[in-house]
Amino acid sequence: MLIKTYSCALMGVAAIPISIEVSIELGVNFLLVGLPDSAVKESQQRIDTALHCHGFKIPNKRIVINMAPADIRKEGSAYDLTLAVGILLASEQIQGTEKVEDYYIMGELSLDGTLQPIRGALPVAIEARKRGKRGIILPIQNAREAAIVGDIEVLGVENIKQVIDFFNKDVPIEPVKINIHNEFQRSLNEYEFDFSDVKGQENIKRALEIAAAGGHNVILIGSPGSGKTMLAKRLPSILPPLTLNEALETTKIHSVAGKMSRYASLVSVRPFRSPHHTISDVALVGGGQHPQPGEISLAHNGVLFLDELPEFKRTVLEVMRQPLEDRYVTISRSKYTVEFPASFMFVAAMNPCPCGNYNNPKTPCTCGQGIVQRYLNKVSGPLMDRIDIHVEVVPVSHEELASTKPVEASAKIRERVITARTLQRKRFEHIQNVFCNAQMSSKMVRAYCAISKEGEERLKLAMEKLGLSARAYDRILKVARTIADLDNSMNIEIEHLSEAINFRSLDRDNWGR
């Protein structure tokens, strides 16, 4: 008897329908074809033991299972439940042949028949709705994640016996339903860190506010213990809230990467990813033999923070250059190409020199002549070119730490950031894929960042006196445009330009010499 059950394979952040054809005839053999990997081939032992626990078995006949289309590699253990249901229906141990066509079935089996969570539940649910399926059957741990896709039944099950009874005895499984808007709003403003905890560092808070308002990349440079990491961790709390579409995009990436916590439904706060400096280039940008999203994609719509930037391998940092410009990463293999979104704010922190005390007002630097510059040169010019704001972080004094003066909370800063982003959204509403000032092209800078003759003279003088590079020109204008937006000013004034110039510390010829 020939039976078909249905599942999905993951490719990038999308799901591809997989038809599993089970044929049982006279003979003794078990053949699994259609490019299965080792985890799929090992499913026979898991299925056999799980079925025995519930009074069923794999028949001692010739079983041929084809996973179509046969030219797409099938990976992982999520096909266990699909294969088991197909074997039971083909061997007529259970009924429900017509019913099974209405559902995508996925789940990893334990030896006792309980189901383990899978990756990519959200893309699979989206594909089920797109294909007109009635619903999806999957482990209960993934049900809330899949349930954010409306118009389909999401049947979360704990073990294979529930699935057998659903098809064989019409025992209903209660669909999991969630209100996506309530779920989205519930944790929209839940942040662990807040700027109200930070004493002093007003100039750094100002720089991060400007960065958040314009989507600018930032580098913080200062002595150990000056608060660089503490400040960076609080940046997501002042970014505008995720929109529902952004939340769905982010959730899909985390789902495919297997980063969703059990029983979670929606990623509703901006991600903050902080990989260690020993990370490989594949782990950072994504890839592998069977491409998976990297840290830059997991930071999509959020913040990627690289602490101790010069300690990262040069090759790791260089592979980020293209995603920083294009906001996506393309991974090509011989038979297919996968594209992962990677629109993130890049925040880096570093010591100014090997000993960490260069420019420290309290502790003298012990590094010899030229050592500071060699340390800074570990970060390439092209990468530094993509960072709009350079900020020196000075240690906080005892008086500031002991102060009981109220400190502005993240919520207040966030209000100003949202107001500035609203202005930018209106400014770029007719331009595709541009949402904030940092994403402007050189042509757009000329159109939207016009400055007065006096301002042009100020900028020319700054470039000559401070030794600023030519690449800093557009960056200064973008940051000045954001500062003007925070002031609700239509024009870039002299004070806006002056403040933007101050955020190009590392471009100065005398820095580190």
Side-chain angles (χ1 to χ4, degrees):
M1 186 175 181
L2 177 64
I3 290 293
K4 288 186 179 182
T5 56
Y6 301 91
S7 186
C8 281
L10 298 176
M11 184 169 289
V13 292
I16 299 173
I18 300 295
S19 174
I20 294 180
E21 305 164 340
V22 183
S23 174
I24 298 182
E25 302 171 352
L26 291 176
V28 180
N29 209 341
F30 188 98
L31 298 173
L32 184 58
V33 297
L35 279 184
D37 71 352
S38 297
V40 180
K41 291 176 181 177
E42 291 169 354
S43 63
Q44 180 183 357
Q45 285 70 39
R46 292 192 296 272
I47 293 169
D48 191 27
T49 307
L51 292 181
H52 270 292
C53 286
H54 295 282
F56 298 91
K57 65 178 183 177
I58 295 179
N60 293 322
K61 293 185 178 181
R62 186 174 187 270
I63 301 174
V64 179
I65 301 175
N66 178 44
M67 307 179 78
D71 60 341
I72 295 175
R73 187 152 184 83
K74 321 304 184 304
E75 303 171 350
S77 53
Y79 301 101
D80 289 0
L81 185 60
T82 330
L83 294 169
V85 171
I87 291 169
L88 291 173
L89 288 170
S91 61
E92 299 183 338
Q93 295 181 68
I94 64 172
Q95 306 301 313
T97 305
E98 295 179 0
K99 197 174 180 180
V100 78
E101 295 180 356
D102 296 331
Y103 295 90
Y104 282 152
I105 304 170
M106 296 195 77
E108 176 189 336
L109 285 171
S110 297
L111 295 184
D112 61 355
T114 58
L115 291 174
Q116 299 298 319
I118 61 171
R119 294 187 297 110
L122 179 56
V124 172
I126 292 172
E127 186 65 24
R129 183 176 65 179
K130 178 182 174 183
R131 298 283 174 174
K133 294 290 183 181
R134 182 176 177 179
I136 174 174
I137 300 173
L138 76 175
I140 189 67
Q141 298 96 320
N142 300 112
R144 286 177 59 80
E145 176 189 333
I148 64 178
V149 178
D151 303 326
I152 61 168
E153 290 182 3
V154 176
L155 308 182
V157 293
E158 295 181 358
N159 56 63
I160 192 172
K161 187 64 166 62
Q162 288 179 268
V163 182
I164 291 170
D165 291 344
F166 174 71
F167 286 114
N168 199 35
K169 300 178 182 178
D170 287 328
V171 176
I173 300 172
E174 186 66 27
V176 175
K177 296 179 180 180
I178 65 171
N179 186 315
I180 186 171
H181 294 285
N182 290 347
E183 195 73 16
F184 178 61
Q185 293 293 332
R186 182 176 60 84
S187 56
L188 194 60
N189 297 303
E190 292 181 359
Y191 288 98
E192 182 180 358
F193 304 106
D194 195 282
F195 273 101
S196 61
D197 305 325
V198 181
K199 299 291 184 69
Q201 304 289 21
E202 298 304 323
N203 62 321
I204 315 302
K205 293 179 188 176
R206 171 66 176 171
L208 293 179
E209 179 181 340
I210 294 167
H216 301 288
N217 300 324
V218 189
I219 184 165
L220 306 174
I221 180 166
S223 306
S226 57
K228 303 184 295 294
T229 304
M230 177 188 66
L231 287 157
K233 285 182 177 179
R234 284 156 175 76
L235 181 58
S237 68
I238 62 172
L239 288 171
L242 284 171
T243 65
L244 186 54
N245 284 337
E246 286 176 333
L248 288 169
E249 276 183 1
T250 307
T251 303
K252 189 188 293 188
I253 296 167
H254 284 245
S255 174
V256 167
K259 301 296 183 181
M260 295 290 291
S261 58
R262 294 190 176 192
Y263 306 104
S265 58
L266 194 67
V267 176
S268 55
V269 295
R270 294 193 179 271
F272 180 86
R273 305 293 300 183
S274 180
H276 192 260
H277 61 77
T278 55
I279 192 171
S280 67
D281 50 355
V282 171
L284 186 67
V285 301
Q289 185 178 0
H290 308 293
Q292 290 291 305
E295 287 292 333
I296 64 173
S297 293
L298 293 171
H300 181 61
N301 292 322
V303 176
L304 176 71
F305 176 54
L306 300 188
D307 202 1
E308 304 296 344
L309 188 66
E311 303 303 324
F312 284 80
K313 290 184 291 186
R314 185 74 171 240
T315 54
V316 171
L317 297 179
E318 294 308 297
V319 294
M320 285 202 337
R321 285 157 52 179
Q322 178 261 337
L324 278 170
E325 289 290 328
D326 298 338
R327 305 199 301 280
Y328 64 86
V329 60
T330 302
I331 299 167
S332 298
R333 295 292 178 263
S334 58
K335 293 184 178 180
Y336 60 91
T337 298
V338 173
E339 190 174 284
F340 293 114
S343 180
F344 58 92
M345 273 187 67
F346 176 47
V347 181
M350 62 181 286
N351 295 333
C353 64
C355 79
N357 292 316
Y358 181 79
N359 273 4
N360 189 328
K362 297 181 179 179
T363 309
C365 176
T366 59
C367 299
Q369 188 176 6
I371 291 178
V372 176
Q373 192 59 44
R374 283 201 298 272
Y375 187 73
L376 294 178
N377 286 342
K378 288 185 177 182
V379 183
S380 71
L383 180 62
M384 199 65 75
D385 180 34
R386 290 159 172 80
I387 301 177
D388 298 345
I389 297 177
H390 308 162
V391 193
E392 291 184 61
V393 185
V394 179
V396 181
S397 66
H398 177 267
E399 290 74 17
E400 288 177 309
L401 287 173
S403 172
T404 57
K405 181 182 176 181
V407 180
E408 190 174 35
S410 291
K412 296 293 290 183
I413 303 173
R414 193 187 211 187
E415 289 175 9
R416 298 194 293 270
V417 169
I418 292 172
T419 302
R421 284 287 185 107
T422 303
L423 290 174
Q424 294 165 47
R425 191 163 57 248
K426 291 178 181 177
R427 180 182 300 135
F428 305 126
E429 61 185 349
H430 301 300
I431 303 174
Q432 191 174 9
N433 295 327
V434 176
F435 307 102
C436 58
N437 291 333
Q439 297 169 355
M440 286 191 289
S441 64
S442 295
K443 184 179 179 181
M444 294 169 65
V445 169
R446 303 294 178 268
Y448 296 111
C449 301
I451 55 178
S452 64
K453 187 175 181 180
E454 185 184 358
E456 192 64 60
E457 288 296 325
R458 176 69 60 89
L459 187 51
K460 179 183 176 182
L461 182 64
M463 294 187 74
E464 291 174 352
K465 294 292 184 182
L466 301 177
L468 298 179
S469 64
R471 66 175 178 258
Y473 185 85
D474 279 2
R475 304 288 171 180
I476 289 171
L477 290 177
K478 288 180 183 181
V479 174
R481 179 67 267 173
T482 300
I483 296 170
D485 289 341
L486 283 168
D487 280 352
N488 200 21
S489 172
M490 292 293 294
N491 301 316
I492 298 176
E493 307 294 347
I494 288 294
E495 59 268 23
H496 303 146
L497 201 57
S498 299
E499 187 174 5
I501 290 169
N502 287 331
F503 291 130
R504 298 300 301 184
S505 301
L506 297 184
D507 277 340
R508 297 173 185 170
D509 279 347
N510 62 345
W511 214 102
R513 296 185 188 277

